[in-house]
Amino acid sequence: ASKEVTVDQFLRFREEHKYEKQYARTGDCPVNNVSWYDAAEYCNWLSEQEGLPKEQWCYEPNTERKYAEGMKMAPDYLKRTGYRLPTEGEWEYGCRAGGDTGHSFGESVDLLGKYGWFDGNSSLTSHPVGSLKPNDLGLFDMHGNEWEWCQDALDEVYGKGGDGKAIGDIEDMANVYSSKGRVLRGGSFSSTLEFVRSARRFAYRPFAQLNFIGFRPARTFIDE
């Protein structure tokens, strides 16, 4: 998605969602207090809303039919066309937009305030999505505003290809357990400069609901 999921969008999925209004003052601000489990369920809901067949949905609930510990990804989820969270590799590729500098716009931190909301310009609250400049792929708020959940569990080794060659994402078919953190990327409105760099990694356990965490969905594009 070009923008983070907003409060208004998420409330259409779950009217009773308790978000922290002091950090999302209008409905077009990114939603907060969303766990990884919540984001996965939203992605399946979004697939349903668009009429995508169930065999294309990317998440399977646990044995109690809940999006919680014990749920898992559907087989071949990277080949399915339903909505899901971006893999860590997809997220960084999208953020960098073809660049290899610390930020999508280059190395100059003087430009950061034109592209992202961080502790230096946010007044320590989130702002309406898409208020600042997008990167060269047309993606907004890849630096700051809200940390964004990614598909992956946090592993120590990430992106270690050989001879400068790209490496493919590996599908994780293990059950999701609350004891293992899931990756967050991008930084938030309360992050310092070092935390909004393209390569910065962070993680929380998938049940975490915090005022600085949101998400944006992704889909696999099938070229037919």
Side-chain angles (χ1 to χ4, degrees):
S2 64
K3 300 173 184 177
E4 295 166 325
V5 174
T6 67
V7 170
D8 285 344
Q9 289 171 330
F10 198 80
L11 291 181
R12 286 197 285 272
F13 157 65
R14 183 176 292 164
E15 292 182 4
E16 72 278 9
H17 179 65
K18 300 292 193 260
Y19 67 98
E20 295 198 38
K21 295 182 180 180
Q22 70 182 97
Y23 299 107
R25 298 175 180 174
T26 59
D28 54 354
C29 287
V31 68
N32 59 46
N33 279 11
V34 174
S35 70
W36 187 95
Y37 296 130
D38 295 331
E41 186 174 2
Y42 177 90
C43 287
N44 268 7
W45 173 83
L46 199 57
S47 295
E48 181 180 27
Q49 295 303 299
E50 296 206 1
L52 298 176
K54 205 162 187 176
E55 58 266 23
Q56 293 299 317
W57 299 7
C58 294
Y59 299 96
E60 295 182 354
N62 62 20
T63 56
E64 298 177 348
R65 308 304 300 166
K66 294 181 179 179
Y67 293 84
E69 183 166 62
M71 64 165 289
K72 60 184 178 181
M73 275 66 77
D76 296 322
Y77 63 86
L78 291 179
K79 297 181 178 66
R80 296 190 177 205
T81 58
Y83 288 91
R84 57 176 171 81
L85 294 171
T87 67
E88 191 174 6
E90 289 170 339
W91 191 96
E92 186 168 332
Y93 183 90
C95 180
R96 288 186 179 279
D100 59 2
T101 52
H103 303 90
S104 60
F105 51 81
E107 292 290 2
S108 176
V109 295
D110 293 336
L111 292 175
L112 180 56
K114 297 182 181 296
Y115 291 85
W117 298 107
F118 66 111
D119 73 341
N121 69 344
S122 69
S123 299
L124 298 182
T125 186
S126 71
H127 292 261
V129 300
S131 298
L132 300 177
K133 289 179 176 293
N135 67 13
D136 286 349
L137 290 179
L139 304 178
F140 295 87
D141 299 312
M142 297 300 283
H143 304 293
N145 220 11
E146 293 280 352
W147 283 98
E148 298 178 15
W149 288 114
C150 290
Q151 177 71 27
D152 312 68
L154 180 68
D155 289 316
E156 293 302 320
V157 178
Y158 164 71
K160 299 294 184 181
D163 300 324
K165 296 180 180 179
I167 58 174
D169 285 313
I170 299 174
E171 292 188 339
D172 180 4
M173 297 310 303
N175 287 3
V176 179
Y177 290 105
S178 296
S179 59
K180 187 162 189 178
R182 311 302 289 193
V183 173
L184 291 157
R185 287 299 200 111
S188 77
F189 60 84
S190 60
S191 297
T192 57
L193 287 171
E194 64 177 304
F195 283 96
V196 295
R197 293 173 63 87
S198 300
R200 188 72 190 206
R201 307 174 73 212
F202 199 45
Y204 262 103
R205 294 182 181 182
F207 57 78
Q209 294 177 305
L210 298 166
N211 61 45
F212 51 81
I213 294 179
F215 71 106
R216 73 178 73 217
R219 289 180 70 183
T220 296
F221 175 74
I222 305 297
D223 186 2
E224 299 178 330

